[in-house]
């Protein structure tokens, strides 16, 4: 049987499997549909004005009044603190320029940024009254920055690692001590190299098809422009699919474990990595990067998600080739471990 025909038969077998159709095609589409339905209003509202209290004759009052989105209210120190405790105002600027807030939030962060900028200009010797806060010294371009795009990109990254299931099942099915098919393979003259290559090609084709279908679905039904650089995005996805094949080989090498039990491992593994990479929203990802930054340094899905985000929304290709190299390294190491484990493997009986 030639290579192309064997690959074709393996593709047909997978397409007849309901589990494959649901988990690799149906589930990702349902997931992003839920994201689109539940996050459609995120980022769609304009920022409301920020109410700030200052004491009378406060030197910061003049410059704050020049900022369009800040409403300045002059009052005594005791009144300002009472208003702040009742959350009638967002912040209170003391005579010394200190910012006092009652809790944390978006408006509080914006106000802190404004005060930091005022203090920085004062450090440079520029009087706050002479600083033009309306001047734009940086050329900017409009781009979609809704937080839900991280969830879309992490879903794509998750699907790119789905090839782990194909290669895991392949290695398990070829080991005589784990399956009847493996015993037949070992006792037959059938080319094992051809079968491994055909199975890998079939798995890679199915993985790329799943990713392509997901990307096409997002391009048609999502309002945001998510893929400004489609070809580089596909390059990252291809590397992710190949890395998934390598990781699946490693899991498939686990001795004396049934294939149904093994299937639980990649599910937990992929979902866990996607969870850490931002599948549940950018908020959790931010906390993880702040508290435990080393975790996502070794998370392939985090690398894929970040790179897709940067090249499409920021036109930043700085980490593109390093991510390709990271995924390629995972593939090479996985293949070497697999070859070493399978090399001259012998069994007392089949």
């Amino acid at each position: 049987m030639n290579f192309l025909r064997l690959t074709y038969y393996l593709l047909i077998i997978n397409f007849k499997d309901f589990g494959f159709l649901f988990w690799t095609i149906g589930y990702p589409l349902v997931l992003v549909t839920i994201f689109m339905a539940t996050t459609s209003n995120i980022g769609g509202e304009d920022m409301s004005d920020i109410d700030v209290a200052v004491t009378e004759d406060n030197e910061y009052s003049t410059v704050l009044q020049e900022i369009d989105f800040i409403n300045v209210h002059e009052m005594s120190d005791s009144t300002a603190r009472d208003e702040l405790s009742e959350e009638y105002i967002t912040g209170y600027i003391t005579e010394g320029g200190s910012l006092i807030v009652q809790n944390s939030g978006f408006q509080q962060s914006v106000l802190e940024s404004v005060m930091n900028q005022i203090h920085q200009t004062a450090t440079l010797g520029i009087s706050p009254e002479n600083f033009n806060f309306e001047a734009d010294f940086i050329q900017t371009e409009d781009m979609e920055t809704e937080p839900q795009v991280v969830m879309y990109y992490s879903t794509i990254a998750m699907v790119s690692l789905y090839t782990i299931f194909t290669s895991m099942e392949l290695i398990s099915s070829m080991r005589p001590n784990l399956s009847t098919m493996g015993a037949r393979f070992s006792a037959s003259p059938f080319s094992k190299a051809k079968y491994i290559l055909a199975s890998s090609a079939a798995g890679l084709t199915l993985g790329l098809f799943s990713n392509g279908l997901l990307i096409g679905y997002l391009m048609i039904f999502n309002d945001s422009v998510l893929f400004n650089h489609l070809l580089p995005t596909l390059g990252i996805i291809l590397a992710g699919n190949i890395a998934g094949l390598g990781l699946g080989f490693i899991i498939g090498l686990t001795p004396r474990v049934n294939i149904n039990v093994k299937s639980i491992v990649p599910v937990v593994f992929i979902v866990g990595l996607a969870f850490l990479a931002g599948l549940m929203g950018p908020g959790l990802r931010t906390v993880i990067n702040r508290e435990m930054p080393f975790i996502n340094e070794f998370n392939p899905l985090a690398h894929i998600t970040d790179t897709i985000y940067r090249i499409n929304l920021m036109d930043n290709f700085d980490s593109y080739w390093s991510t390709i190299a990271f995924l390629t390294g995972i593939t090479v190491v996985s293949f070497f471990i697999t070859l070493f484990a399978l090399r001259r493997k012998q069994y007392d009986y089949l």
Side-chain angles (χ1 to χ4, degrees), residues 1 10 26 31 58 66 72 88 101 113 122 129 142 163 198 203 205 210 216 238 266 268 275-276 297 327 334-335:
M1 184 179 297
L10 292 170
L31 193 61
N58 190 310
E66 295 296 324
V72 179
Y88 294 137
V101 295
S113 177
E129 293 83 357
D142 292 335
T163 49
T205 301
S210 300
L238 174 62
V268 175
F275 185 81
L276 296 173
E297 289 293 328
L327 297 172
S334 300
F335 279 127

Side-chain angles (χ1 to χ4, degrees), residues 28-38 152 217-218:
L29 296 180
V30 171
L31 193 61
V32 296
T33 301
I34 294 174
F35 289 158
M36 286 189 286
T38 56
Y152 299 143
Y217 182 83
L218 287 171

Side-chain angles (χ1 to χ4, degrees), residues 11-27:
L11 286 171
I12 295 299
I13 291 172
N14 280 280
F15 269 107
K16 290 182 177 180
D17 183 1
F18 175 78
F20 164 78
L21 292 177
F22 176 77
W23 290 110
T24 62
I25 297 178
Y27 174 69

Side-chain angles (χ1 to χ4, degrees), residues 5-15 170 194-195 197-200 202-203 206:
R5 181 176 295 180
L6 179 58
T7 304
Y8 171 77
Y9 285 147
L10 292 170
L11 286 171
I12 295 299
I13 291 172
N14 280 280
F15 269 107
L170 164 66
K194 181 186 292 185
Y195 181 72
L197 290 175
S199 296
S200 299
L206 294 172

Side-chain angles (χ1 to χ4, degrees), residues 42-109:
I42 295 180
E45 298 180 358
D46 296 331
M47 184 184 70
S48 58
D49 291 344
I50 301 175
D51 292 310
V52 177
V54 297
T55 54
E56 296 180 2
D57 300 326
N58 190 310
E59 63 176 320
Y60 296 95
S61 177
T62 303
V63 66
L64 290 172
Q65 289 174 351
E66 295 296 324
I67 303 175
D68 293 337
F69 57 84
I70 293 182
N71 296 328
V72 179
H73 306 278
E74 291 187 355
M75 58 187 71
S76 65
D77 179 82
S78 59
T79 303
R81 292 179 184 276
D82 291 339
E83 294 282 308
L84 186 63
S85 63
E86 296 293 334
E87 297 186 1
Y88 294 137
I89 57 175
T90 301
Y92 167 44
I93 310 298
T94 65
E95 291 185 2
S98 298
L99 171 63
I100 302 176
V101 295
Q102 183 68 19
N103 47 41
S104 61
F106 177 70
Q107 291 191 342
Q108 288 83 355
S109 298

Side-chain angles (χ1 to χ4, degrees), residues 33-263:
T33 301
I34 294 174
F35 289 158
M36 286 189 286
T38 56
T39 62
S40 59
N41 294 324
I42 295 180
E45 298 180 358
D46 296 331
M47 184 184 70
S48 58
D49 291 344
I50 301 175
D51 292 310
V52 177
V54 297
T55 54
E56 296 180 2
D57 300 326
N58 190 310
E59 63 176 320
Y60 296 95
S61 177
T62 303
V63 66
L64 290 172
Q65 289 174 351
E66 295 296 324
I67 303 175
D68 293 337
F69 57 84
I70 293 182
N71 296 328
V72 179
H73 306 278
E74 291 187 355
M75 58 187 71
S76 65
D77 179 82
S78 59
T79 303
R81 292 179 184 276
D82 291 339
E83 294 282 308
L84 186 63
S85 63
E86 296 293 334
E87 297 186 1
Y88 294 137
I89 57 175
T90 301
Y92 167 44
I93 310 298
T94 65
E95 291 185 2
S98 298
L99 171 63
I100 302 176
V101 295
Q102 183 68 19
N103 47 41
S104 61
F106 177 70
Q107 291 191 342
Q108 288 83 355
S109 298
V110 172
L111 189 57
E112 181 184 14
S113 177
V114 170
M115 292 306 300
N116 287 338
Q117 189 175 8
I118 293 175
H119 291 315
Q120 289 170 6
T121 57
T123 302
L124 294 174
I126 304 174
S127 175
E129 293 83 357
N130 297 325
F131 189 80
N132 182 10
F133 281 88
E134 295 182 358
D136 185 9
F137 300 101
I138 302 175
Q139 182 180 1
T140 60
E141 296 181 358
D142 292 335
M143 65 179 181
E144 299 290 347
T145 56
E146 295 91 337
Q148 63 267 29
V149 300
V150 176
M151 300 159 71
Y152 299 143
Y153 291 150
S154 60
T155 303
I156 293 172
M158 179 183 71
V159 175
S160 70
L161 226 62
Y162 272 7
T163 49
I164 196 172
F165 295 101
T166 303
S167 55
M168 177 196 67
E169 187 172 356
L170 164 66
I171 293 298
S172 295
S173 66
M174 292 191 65
R175 305 197 68 182
N177 61 328
L178 297 180
S179 69
T180 304
M181 181 182 295
R184 293 176 178 176
F185 267 122
S186 296
S188 70
F190 188 81
S191 174
K192 300 174 184 61
K194 181 186 292 185
Y195 181 72
I196 292 176
L197 290 175
S199 296
S200 299
L204 186 60
T205 301
L206 294 172
L208 294 176
F209 174 77
S210 300
N211 277 114
L213 192 63
L214 180 59
I215 290 174
Y217 182 83
L218 287 171
M219 293 177 68
I220 294 173
F221 295 102
N222 189 62
D223 294 333
S224 304
V225 179
L226 299 176
F227 306 102
N228 292 311
H229 300 284
L230 185 58
L231 287 179
T233 301
L234 294 178
I236 288 290
I237 290 173
L238 174 62
N241 276 269
I242 297 175
L245 287 174
L247 292 173
F249 288 148
I250 299 296
I251 298 175
L253 290 172
T254 308
R256 300 185 182 279
V257 179
N258 185 274
I259 184 62
N260 296 322
V261 177
K262 283 185 181 180
S263 299

Side-chain angles (χ1 to χ4, degrees), residues 343-348:
R343 183 173 176 265
R344 296 180 180 178
K345 194 72 174 179
Q346 295 181 351
Y347 301 91
D348 295 334

